[in-house]
Every structure is written in C-alpha cells, then in structure tokens.
Amino acid sequence: DAMVIQNPRYQVTQFGKPVTLSCSQTLNHNVMYWYQQKSSQAPKLLFHYYDKDFNNEADTPDNFQSRRPNTSFCFLDIRSPGLGDAAMYLCATSRVGGGGYTFGSGTRLTVV
Amino acid sequence: AQKVTQAQTEISVVEKEDVTLDCVYETRDTTYYLFWYKQPPSGELVFLIRRNSFDEQNEISGRYSWNFQKSTSSFNFTITASQVVDSAVYFCALSEASGSARQLTFGSGTQLTVLP
C-alpha cells in the first residue's frame, strides 16, 4: 500500500547531540511537510518542500533543518536538541491540485 | 489568516451516549477544505473526513456524522452511540483549496473520554 513511513517510531537523544528523523513516501506526492506536536498541543508546521523548493515557517527555530534528497525521502535534522524540543514529529505529504494529506505515524522524540 | 477554534478542551461521556464535538473556523478564502482527524494515545493522526467548502451536504459514515454550516462557519462532528475505542483527541483543521502547498491549520483539539 502507498504510504508515508517515519523512522524511528521512538527516538531518544541526548541534550545537544544532533539527531535526524526520516520520512519516506511511496505516493509520489510533490509536497512534504514536517509538523511538530508538543504534549497536549496541536501540530505546528515547521517547514515544507514543494518538490525541491524549501519553505521555512517564520517562527521555526534555526536549530531545525531539513533535507529532501529526492521525491521519496525527507529528513528533519535537529542540530542541538534542547529539552524543549521533545515532541511528536509528524511528516505529511500532499499532491498539488489534490485536497488530501497523508500523515506518517510520527516519531516521538525524547531529549535526556 | 486562518483560524480554527475547538472550544471544548475535554469531554467525558458514558458509553452509548451521543457526543458532538464543535469546530468553528475563520478564513478569508472563498474555497477551502475542512478536515477532522483522530489522534489515539499512540500518536498517529487518523484521517476521518475532508469537506470542500462548496459542498455543504451533511455526511454520515457509520456512527460518525458531520454538520457543515457555512453561514455560521462551523463544522461539527457527532459520534452516535459512543464506544470506549472512540476515546482520543480529535482535531478539526482547515486548509486553503488553491496553491501548490497548503498548510493545515489545526484547532487545539478536544480530548474525548468514553467511560465504560
């Protein structure tokens, strides 16, 4: 089945140690998004890629970066994780001209 | 700017009761999409419904039904005969219908607890 896959499902990282979360899709969607969801809050968009064009939200901290080496993969890099970066990170895709989004199952990041 | 308001932070019902989750939205777009997602404790977002702003017909899917009223900018969600497995956080969301990349604007969510 076509889907969006996030690995790993759970990630524990040390304070200040760089960490990378990955997302892959088999839907061939143009757009890939990264959302951050902290406990008891709504998901918040960090950035998205439209094909290779990167679009950063104005309030996304510089500590967060992203890479999209090809259509299928998108990575979220946190350069120096702080305790406040502990959250669920959700990857989503959408197709230009279409109305729907497909979400991955998320990566729950813990910072110790 | 788009905004979605879910005024009910938490709702508790007893199994088999009906429950309605409210959603009110604001947008300047003439065409847009509205969504409902379910988020169980495991954390994934489960898609429930997408509604185009042109389509004001109410929809029923099993025990779920949705009431879209453009005049009041509301898109309410009713679960009939609730079950314990319905316990989750429910998010209402909004996106514009045009444009290449359409950000989803989420409400703050409603935590639904169905007691046995």
Side-chain angles (χ1 to χ4, degrees):
Chain A
D1 288 341
M3 56 175 51
V4 178
I5 300 170
Q6 290 188 245
N7 283 309
R9 189 72 189 272
Y10 300 92
Q11 175 75 56
V12 180
T13 191
Q14 291 182 334
F15 183 94
K17 184 175 181 180
V19 64
T20 295
L21 310 182
S22 73
C23 177
S24 64
Q25 56 135 338
T26 59
L27 299 160
N28 205 34
H29 282 174
N30 310 79
V31 192
M32 296 187 76
Y33 309 80
W34 279 104
Y35 285 84
Q36 178 194 60
Q37 185 181 21
K38 295 187 177 182
S39 181
S40 301
Q41 296 183 20
K44 177 180 178 297
L45 182 65
L46 294 173
F47 27 58
H48 72 270
Y49 273 96
Y50 172 31
D51 291 330
K52 291 189 175 182
D53 292 334
F54 176 70
N55 297 270
N56 202 27
E57 292 301 299
D59 55 356
T60 298
D62 293 339
N63 199 23
F64 291 85
Q65 304 287 322
S66 186
R67 296 170 284 134
R68 188 179 186 186
N70 52 52
T71 301
S72 301
F73 285 88
C74 194
F75 300 98
L76 170 61
D77 301 309
I78 308 177
R79 293 191 296 188
S80 182
L83 297 179
D85 297 327
M88 172 72 86
Y89 290 88
L90 294 160
C91 175
T93 70
S94 70
R95 179 174 54 85
V96 173
Y101 298 79
T102 304
F103 279 88
S105 54
T107 294
R108 196 177 295 275
L109 179 68
T110 301
V111 181
V112 298
Chain B
Q2 298 182 330
K3 185 179 178 182
V4 177
T5 301
Q6 295 179 254
Q8 304 149 309
T9 306
E10 296 181 20
I11 300 176
S12 285
V13 298
V14 177
E15 203 169 21
K16 297 184 183 177
E17 286 185 354
D18 299 347
V19 59
T20 295
L21 309 182
D22 298 332
C23 174
V24 175
Y25 63 92
E26 297 174 28
T27 181
R28 293 182 180 177
D29 295 329
T30 54
T31 58
Y32 48 89
Y33 289 105
L34 293 162
F35 302 79
W36 275 96
Y37 287 90
K38 174 182 179 180
Q39 189 173 45
S42 52
E44 72 272 22
L45 279 173
V46 178
F47 169 79
L48 296 178
I49 190 173
R50 182 189 78 196
R51 172 64 70 211
N52 187 306
S53 54
F54 287 134
D55 182 1
E56 288 194 66
Q57 283 191 353
N58 292 329
E59 181 160 338
I60 298 174
S61 176
R63 296 184 298 107
Y64 295 169
S65 63
W66 291 269
N67 183 359
F68 176 30
Q69 293 201 344
K70 212 167 179 179
S71 59
T72 56
S73 297
S74 65
F75 187 43
N76 296 337
F77 172 32
T78 298
I79 302 175
T80 303
S82 59
Q83 300 175 2
V84 173
V85 294
D86 295 328
S87 297
V89 179
Y90 290 85
F91 288 98
C92 180
L94 167 71
S95 80
E96 59 186 11
S98 60
S100 57
R102 296 158 281 108
Q103 175 181 349
L104 267 176
T105 299
F106 287 89
S108 54
T110 297
Q111 171 71 61
L112 174 66
T113 302
V114 181
L115 303 169

